[in-house]
Amino acid sequence: MEEPSGAQLLGPVEIRALAEKLDVTPTKKLGQNFVHDPNTVRRIVAAADLTPEDHVVEVGPGLGSLTLALVEKAASVTAVEIDPRLAAELPATFAWRAPQLADKLTVVQKDALKVQQSDFATQPTALVANLPYNVSVPVLLHMLAEFPTITKVLVMVQLEVADRLAADPGSKIYGVPSVKASFYGDVSKAGTIGKHVFWPAPQIESGLVKIVRTKTPWPQDKETRAKVWPVIDAAFLQRRKTLRAALSGHFSSAPAAEEALRAAGIDPQLRGERLDVADYVRLAGVIGS
């Protein structure tokens, strides 16, 4: 199948001109840093492994740098944008830079943390985004929870957050985000992005995180999360404590915590960072030992 003719991607000149036109100053509050390097955008899209059948959701499209590249590869793109000025301008940017692909774009003006399945005409199969840095993990987890149809994820986040999300059990940076992301499938780091491809340039480097949703022995539903999430949170609340001590509040007492841990085949003297997601699911009583 022949690919549609490509979009004209945005460079530094176009990004500045659009921002000036809209009187937009990127804000720290909304975690805005606009990518102005076409090569970086293409790299992100390539790492996402999209097919022409994929329906992509992009969170925080900003001025449309990544959005323009995504529509070249996917069946459709739904862009979720909280800023009304940016949301209103995206269709105009497509009319300017990719008129032949404009019908593949849908814009949803909403807070990504509140977006629901009912906001989408077509349920997404992929999440590809330069996530707002200040809410990157909550947004990522919300999208995975709300849209079980998402089977592939490629997101750009702060490098430190990327390392945490992809950390393995036993490492010093393994924690709540690592466990909760792996609840849905295989999490890995897909690269590092320097500061100078953004406007304004952030203080820190960024990292790409890839998640491939897999079939798990546990249901990935709201009821399961309601049982598992509190156990994960309690285990890492005071990460220097043993699980017997850390989970004493959750299980009402230290002896009760020890009993639950032993029933799940887990040493009560271990710390939370030693357990993988399957251990936590078992401990929550969702699947047996």
Side-chain angles (χ1 to χ4, degrees):
M1 182 177 141
E2 211 173 292
E3 282 194 5
S5 52
Q8 291 179 280
L9 300 187
L10 301 172
V13 173
E14 292 81 13
I15 291 286
R16 298 288 182 127
L18 272 173
E20 196 173 317
K21 173 188 173 185
L22 299 174
D23 194 24
V24 166
T25 304
T27 71
K28 215 170 184 180
K29 184 184 173 188
L30 295 178
Q32 290 171 324
N33 296 93
F34 301 132
V35 183
H36 62 54
D37 177 50
N39 289 331
T40 300
V41 166
R42 294 221 184 269
R43 181 183 160 198
I44 293 167
V45 174
D49 292 329
L50 298 174
T51 72
E53 287 74 46
D54 274 315
H55 297 279
V56 178
V57 56
E58 181 191 7
V59 171
L63 295 167
S65 309
L66 179 57
T67 326
L68 285 162
L70 286 171
V71 291
E72 292 182 332
K73 296 290 181 187
S76 71
V77 176
T78 301
V80 179
E81 176 57 63
I82 194 171
D83 188 318
R85 293 167 303 172
L86 297 175
E89 186 65 20
L90 264 179
T93 301
F94 267 69
W96 170 38
R97 308 296 288 184
Q100 72 283 14
L101 301 173
D103 62 344
K104 293 165 75 173
L105 173 72
T106 302
V107 182
V108 174
Q109 195 223 306
K110 198 167 183 179
D111 181 344
L113 285 167
K114 295 176 182 172
V115 78
Q116 299 173 314
Q117 290 180 28
S118 56
D119 294 316
F120 286 63
T122 304
Q123 296 304 295
T125 61
L127 166 64
V128 186
N130 169 22
L131 290 179
Y133 284 176
N134 52 345
V135 289
S136 56
V137 173
V139 166
L140 172 64
L141 294 176
H142 172 69
M143 297 302 287
L144 284 165
E146 182 63 25
F147 298 99
T149 49
I150 291 176
T151 59
K152 54 182 90 166
V153 173
L154 197 286
V155 291
M156 179 155 55
V157 295
Q158 285 183 17
L159 184 57
E160 182 187 343
V161 174
D163 289 336
R164 286 183 185 281
L165 283 166
D168 291 323
S171 73
K172 286 182 180 178
I173 57 172
Y174 179 76
V176 172
S178 329
V179 188
K180 289 183 178 178
S182 63
F183 176 84
Y184 296 100
D186 299 324
V187 186
S188 60
K189 231 177 110 195
T192 302
I193 305 287
K195 308 171 189 178
H196 303 298
V197 301
F198 296 96
W199 174 68
Q203 301 287 317
I204 38 84
E205 291 190 311
S206 304
L208 297 176
V209 175
K210 187 171 191 170
I211 302 175
V212 178
R213 196 176 205 133
T214 56
K215 200 164 185 182
T216 51
W218 52 86
Q220 297 175 10
D221 57 17
K222 189 176 181 181
E223 292 73 23
T224 303
R225 286 191 300 275
K227 292 176 184 174
V228 179
W229 266 210
V231 181
I232 297 168
D233 292 337
F236 285 97
L237 195 58
Q238 294 170 291
R239 59 185 298 150
R240 290 190 176 185
K241 285 190 173 183
T242 64
L243 285 164
R244 183 184 190 276
L247 296 174
S248 60
H250 180 80
F251 288 105
S252 76
S253 70
E258 178 166 349
E259 188 180 337
L261 285 156
R262 291 200 184 281
I266 299 165
D267 180 352
Q269 296 306 309
L270 290 177
R271 292 186 172 89
E273 67 210 42
R274 307 299 303 185
L275 272 55
D276 64 16
V277 67
D279 293 325
Y280 282 106
V281 175
R282 204 166 62 251
L283 186 55
V286 177
I287 54 173
S289 302

